[in-house]
Amino acid sequence: MKLLKLLNKKNLSILISFFFLQNSYSTEPVDIWDLEKQSNQDTNSKNETIQNENLLPSSIFNIQNKIRNETSVDEEENLLSKNINIAGIYDPSDNDLSMEMWINSDGSKILENTNKIKKITLSKDASEILNIALLTNSYFPEKNINKEQFLKIKSDWLIKQKNLDLIETYVEKNKNLENQSKLIKYYIDYYLSKSDLGKACSIFEKINFNISDEYISKFNIYCLINSNKSEEAQLFFDLLKEQGFEDNFFEKKFAYLIGYDENIDNSISENTLLDFHLSHRTNSNFKFEPKSNTSKLIWKYLSSSNLLENIDFIDLKDQEKVFMIEKATHEKNYEEKDLFELYKRFQFNIDQLLNVKQSYKFLQNFEGRALLYQRLILTKDTEELLDLSLKLKESFIKDGIENAFDEELKKILSLVNEEEIPSNFSLFYIDEITPSTLKEENIKINNKIIHQSKLLKYFEDQYEVKKAEDDLNKLFKSIKKNKDYNVSIKDLIMVESLISDGVLISKKYKNMFKFGQSNVPTDIQLLLNNNESGMVLLRLVEIIGEDDLESLDPDTLYFIISILNQLNLDSIRNEILLKVLPLKI
């Protein structure tokens, strides 16, 4: 009878939860990496029910408490054992990793290394490896680090990348995971700042846990109103109030939007981006002039909503406002063309324009930039154009607003004839113009050099091991005849990688090579011995740092590949080999 009573109460709570929340939350399990999911499916169902009950009124809390009190100790321990201890996006097998990649690692070392990495502006190659390290589905480390700290590392990295698609995927694939408030806040504020409310609200279709954060709860309520789901919005608002929520500004906006109060509240709040948006939406005569301390999100919102002041009406004598325009351009809230149109409005005499290289030094920084720009667009001489461009760029950099002169600078330099560029400006020109004109390079096969030979196709999965073995020994036969051939480190990298995959070398060719010359750092070798693949990847990210893989010296590449060979991380290794070994044209 006691069991029947318990089941009846549980069914009642499930029905009530389903009735109120079916349009806002999904109960479909998402944790595809939980190897115990099938055997504990009933326990999962009960855990999700209790999570959903946390959103219901006090009467439901009472039912929940009674259920917990009547649950046996064994059942409680079962529930606790089902705490989610896996989070990520990628299947471990995609990169030859395992779910235990962090199990043996010391959390204090993970925190130490990730803190070092935070201070580095990572190259694209390093970032890709860090994505694999942090976003592969894996068990959490257990020593000297807790779940929240490890999840924060993942969230901070996702936010630093500003990859909204990746954030959305992470949230969706880990929808039962608590403590995602920081990620969700970043996501909804990002899209709201771009005036894309629909995209911001779409995140609530992808989460499946009790929203305990007030800001996110308010945003969810607003999204329901915006979707004409007033009854659901009212329910969630009432639940929020029962939990002690007090926010006079939001409550007034809620009453107006839902139709309870026809009086328009014209007050403007900059406390949060949602508050600012609600201020705008509920005021048909909305006007706002940003200040130097106005948040970047609000600047972005003003820009995307066409609420920024027209450049033509900016008072050129207002130094603070002009610099704000420059800063806003640096942050891509104003278009560069608008800033340079503003510069054209400044009035200078002939003497200042003729002696620009001295005159600009005696003006306010923004006036000096305006003078340099006006003289720059008048000049036809290549050397003078480059000199003025460099001085103008340096002025922007000095004031920390270098991004305000990107597109316009490339446009100016594109008019320069490369053959006329003096040697003292060649580096400046290359740094500024080259990134936008790089062309995709094709691999050229050269069978006279081991690491540039057709064996590269093996690493593209176009060769079987047996064929690679035959072709390698044939290549050795032809190279051995060439007494002038010197085996390079890149040759060793390729050959050792093939051997690692099971390719056998004929005894008569083994004396051509001195294997095992890579000097793997001692600390990394210890990690390898302890099978700490996650930590090894962190160390590789730290070593690569700001550099592209192609720019690393051969010795560094050698020990990186040796490390990946020891861990059997062939997928990652092959990507690197195909970047650093081939001859490209």
Side-chain angles (χ1 to χ4, degrees):
M1 291 295 292
K2 184 175 180 179
L3 181 59
L4 181 60
K5 182 179 179 181
L6 176 61
L7 290 172
N8 286 337
K9 289 180 178 179
K10 287 170 63 182
N11 288 336
L12 173 63
S13 62
I14 292 170
L15 286 171
I16 294 173
S17 301
F18 182 77
F19 176 77
F20 283 115
L21 305 176
Q22 60 179 331
N23 290 326
S24 298
Y25 294 90
S26 167
T27 59
E28 179 185 354
V30 185
D31 189 4
I32 62 174
W33 304 110
D34 191 346
L35 301 179
E36 301 177 12
K37 179 170 64 178
Q38 302 239 339
S39 61
N40 293 297
Q41 195 168 19
D42 292 336
T43 305
N44 254 346
S45 178
K46 177 161 55 179
N47 198 24
E48 290 175 9
T49 301
I50 290 173
Q51 283 183 333
N52 285 339
E53 287 170 349
N54 288 337
L55 287 176
L56 299 177
S58 57
S59 61
I60 304 304
F61 280 118
N62 293 335
I63 294 173
Q64 173 190 339
N65 290 333
K66 287 179 182 179
I67 291 173
R68 285 177 175 169
N69 291 334
E70 293 177 11
T71 303
S72 69
V73 174
D74 288 341
E75 287 175 321
E76 288 181 1
E77 288 176 351
N78 225 0
L79 285 173
L80 289 172
S81 72
K82 286 303 297 174
N83 285 338
I84 297 172
N85 62 348
I86 299 168
I89 293 176
Y90 309 125
D91 185 329
S93 63
D94 289 345
N95 294 294
D96 307 305
L97 291 160
S98 75
M99 292 175 63
E100 290 80 22
M101 59 187 287
W102 296 103
I103 287 295
N104 296 331
S105 296
D106 184 336
S108 61
K109 295 293 184 183
I110 295 173
L111 292 168
E112 180 183 336
N113 275 80
T114 51
N115 284 333
K116 287 180 181 177
I117 290 170
K118 282 180 184 177
K119 300 173 184 177
I120 304 172
T121 304
L122 297 179
S123 66
K124 183 181 177 182
D125 293 324
S127 295
E128 288 175 354
I129 295 174
L130 189 56
N131 269 337
I132 292 170
L134 296 182
L135 302 180
T136 293
N137 282 284
S138 59
Y139 294 116
F140 299 151
E142 299 173 348
K143 182 181 178 183
N144 295 327
I145 191 171
N146 58 41
K147 171 182 172 180
E148 287 70 27
Q149 288 174 305
F150 192 63
L151 289 175
K152 185 177 183 298
I153 292 172
K154 295 173 183 281
S155 296
D156 288 349
W157 169 239
L158 284 165
I159 290 171
K160 184 177 181 179
Q161 289 187 93
K162 300 180 181 179
N163 188 325
L164 277 296
D165 290 335
L166 211 54
I167 291 174
E168 187 175 349
T169 301
Y170 181 82
V171 170
E172 185 172 15
K173 288 199 172 188
N174 301 275
K175 63 175 65 174
N176 285 321
L177 190 65
E178 300 274 359
N179 305 316
Q180 297 205 68
S181 297
K182 187 176 181 180
L183 267 183
I184 295 171
K185 280 182 184 177
Y186 180 82
Y187 183 94
I188 58 183
D189 275 350
Y190 175 86
Y191 281 110
L192 185 58
S193 72
K194 295 173 72 68
S195 298
D196 192 345
L197 182 60
K199 188 67 175 175
C201 290
S202 69
I203 197 69
F204 295 105
E205 300 169 7
K206 305 178 189 300
I207 58 178
N208 189 37
F209 56 85
N210 184 354
I211 301 173
S212 58
D213 183 89
E214 279 193 358
Y215 183 72
I216 297 174
S217 297
K218 289 192 298 182
F219 213 110
N220 187 30
I221 291 167
Y222 175 58
C223 288
L224 289 169
I225 295 173
N226 196 63
S227 299
N228 297 316
K229 297 178 180 178
S230 298
E231 291 183 4
E232 291 178 55
Q234 183 67 64
L235 170 64
F236 276 89
F237 181 78
D238 291 342
L239 292 173
L240 201 57
K241 288 293 291 180
E242 285 191 22
Q243 294 167 12
F245 171 75
E246 289 186 11
D247 186 331
N248 188 51
F249 179 85
F250 181 78
E251 290 179 48
K252 286 182 179 179
K253 300 299 182 184
F254 173 82
Y256 174 76
L257 290 169
I258 210 163
Y260 295 151
D261 188 350
E262 295 182 357
N263 295 319
I264 298 176
D265 176 17
N266 289 330
S267 62
I268 296 176
S269 171
E270 296 180 66
N271 287 338
T272 66
L273 185 59
L274 177 60
D275 284 354
F276 191 77
H277 168 75
L278 292 174
S279 303
H280 174 214
R281 176 168 177 178
T282 57
N283 185 352
S284 58
N285 297 315
F286 181 83
K287 289 184 180 179
F288 180 81
E289 186 174 325
K291 304 290 189 297
S292 57
N293 61 348
T294 299
S295 76
K296 292 181 180 179
L297 280 172
I298 289 177
W299 269 101
K300 185 67 70 179
Y301 179 85
L302 292 167
S303 175
S304 61
S305 302
N306 295 317
L307 294 171
L308 289 175
E309 187 174 358
N310 191 308
I311 290 292
D312 295 337
F313 304 126
I314 299 294
D315 182 1
L316 299 180
K317 295 180 181 178
D318 190 336
Q319 298 180 19
E320 183 180 353
K321 181 167 285 189
V322 173
F323 184 70
M324 277 200 308
I325 300 299
E326 290 181 315
K327 187 178 178 182
T329 306
H330 166 74
E331 292 168 355
K332 305 304 178 185
N333 294 321
Y334 269 102
E335 298 283 341
E336 282 190 32
K337 61 182 180 63
D338 293 331
L339 173 62
F340 291 103
E341 285 300 318
L342 178 69
Y343 283 166
K344 289 178 183 179
R345 290 178 50 207
F346 282 84
Q347 299 293 316
F348 300 106
N349 59 46
I350 296 297
D351 185 60
Q352 286 175 310
L353 287 167
L354 290 175
N355 299 289
V356 61
K357 295 177 185 179
Q358 292 300 320
S359 299
Y360 87 96
K361 298 177 182 178
F362 300 102
L363 299 172
Q364 295 288 340
N365 288 359
F366 66 90
E367 290 179 305
R369 286 188 281 273
L371 176 60
L372 285 168
Y373 180 70
Q374 287 191 22
R375 185 68 186 89
L376 175 60
I377 59 178
L378 291 173
T379 190
K380 300 295 182 183
D381 180 75
T382 297
E383 184 169 356
E384 185 178 20
L385 184 145
L386 289 166
D387 188 29
L388 292 170
S389 296
L390 177 58
K391 285 181 168 55
L392 184 53
K393 183 69 176 182
E394 288 173 342
S395 178
F396 278 107
I397 292 172
K398 182 180 178 181
D399 282 349
I401 51 174
E402 61 275 9
N403 293 337
F405 189 39
D406 281 341
E407 297 167 15
E408 185 68 13
L409 177 57
K410 285 181 173 59
K411 190 186 300 182
I412 290 168
L413 295 181
S414 67
L415 303 175
V416 174
N417 185 342
E418 275 191 72
E419 297 178 356
E420 297 178 359
I421 297 174
S423 58
N424 55 321
F425 290 108
S426 59
L427 187 60
F428 166 66
Y429 175 83
I430 291 170
D431 285 345
E432 297 298 334
I433 200 73
T434 302
S436 62
T437 59
L438 283 176
K439 295 180 180 178
E440 187 176 348
E441 296 176 315
N442 295 317
I443 293 175
K444 181 179 180 180
I445 298 299
N446 179 7
N447 287 317
K448 293 182 179 180
I449 298 176
I450 295 172
H451 69 268
Q452 294 175 0
S453 70
K454 63 181 179 179
L455 282 161
L456 287 166
K457 294 181 180 179
Y458 168 79
F459 300 106
E460 294 178 329
D461 291 328
Q462 296 182 27
Y463 267 28
E464 296 293 333
V465 170
K466 180 58 179 168
K467 179 168 175 51
E469 189 175 293
D470 292 340
D471 286 353
L472 181 61
N473 283 288
K474 287 178 183 177
L475 182 61
F476 287 162
K477 183 179 180 180
S478 63
I479 287 176
K480 193 173 183 179
K481 296 176 181 178
N482 181 1
K483 295 183 179 180
D484 294 328
Y485 189 90
N486 292 315
V487 176
S488 69
I489 291 178
K490 286 190 175 183
D491 289 341
L492 284 174
I493 289 172
M494 173 180 266
V495 174
E496 287 193 14
S497 296
L498 290 168
I499 292 172
S500 174
D501 287 2
V503 171
L504 299 177
I505 301 177
S506 176
K507 290 182 180 180
K508 57 185 175 183
Y509 301 127
K510 286 187 177 179
N511 61 359
M512 292 173 60
F513 304 94
K514 293 181 181 180
F515 297 118
Q517 297 184 64
S518 66
N519 296 314
V520 177
T522 304
D523 68 308
I524 297 181
Q525 190 60 58
L526 291 173
L527 296 175
L528 289 167
N529 297 342
N530 200 32
N531 199 29
E532 297 182 50
S533 51
M535 274 297 299
V536 171
L537 290 178
L538 284 188
R539 285 289 286 117
L540 292 185
V541 169
E542 189 181 347
I543 289 167
I544 297 169
E546 299 181 4
D547 297 318
D548 295 322
L549 286 166
E550 293 93 330
S551 65
L552 294 177
D553 63 272
D555 288 327
T556 302
L557 287 171
Y558 191 10
F559 82 69
I560 287 175
I561 297 302
S562 296
I563 288 167
L564 296 174
N565 282 332
Q566 287 188 58
L567 285 173
N568 294 316
L569 300 184
D570 296 347
S571 179
I572 299 173
R573 180 205 65 188
N574 292 351
E575 289 289 332
I576 294 176
L577 290 177
L578 291 170
K579 283 185 177 181
V580 302
L581 293 185
L583 174 65
K584 297 178 182 178
I585 56 171

